[in-house]
Amino acid sequence: MLATSIVNVALPQIRSGLGMSDNGTTWVVNAYGLAFGALLLAGGRVVDLLGRRRVSGALRPGLGQFRPRRRPPGGHSLA
């Protein structure tokens, strides 16, 4: 699972930043996996109840801020 791989890559920085032992980092990985799975199940249930189009329509404005902005004609940015 890609999400767990990302946590495993960040694990050395988490361990040194928080001063954790190996047992503590195991808890970090397990807690992340549990939270990710719970949110995945909850999101799936919401989509089942409300429908895919309603949920994606509700999320579209919030996710739109991550879209790259278009440059004005001429190729120069305003900032």
Side-chain angles (χ1 to χ4, degrees), residues 23-79:
N23 289 336
T25 55
T26 303
W27 278 98
V28 169
V29 173
N30 289 337
Y32 179 80
L34 184 63
F36 183 80
L39 289 174
L40 193 64
L41 285 172
R45 180 67 176 155
V46 168
V47 170
D48 283 345
L49 291 175
L50 299 177
R52 179 181 55 89
R53 291 183 187 207
R54 285 180 62 187
V55 172
S56 65
L59 292 177
R60 191 176 316 271
L63 294 176
Q65 64 184 333
F66 296 112
R67 185 180 61 229
R69 308 229 182 241
R70 294 183 185 199
R71 292 189 174 186
H76 301 296
S77 68
L78 298 175

Side-chain angles (χ1 to χ4, degrees), residues 2-45:
L2 179 64
T4 308
S5 299
I6 292 170
V7 172
N8 286 332
V9 169
L11 216 50
Q13 286 93 9
I14 293 171
R15 181 184 301 144
S16 65
L18 297 175
M20 300 177 92
S21 65
D22 288 337
N23 289 336
T25 55
T26 303
W27 278 98
V28 169
V29 173
N30 289 337
Y32 179 80
L34 184 63
F36 183 80
L39 289 174
L40 193 64
L41 285 172
R45 180 67 176 155

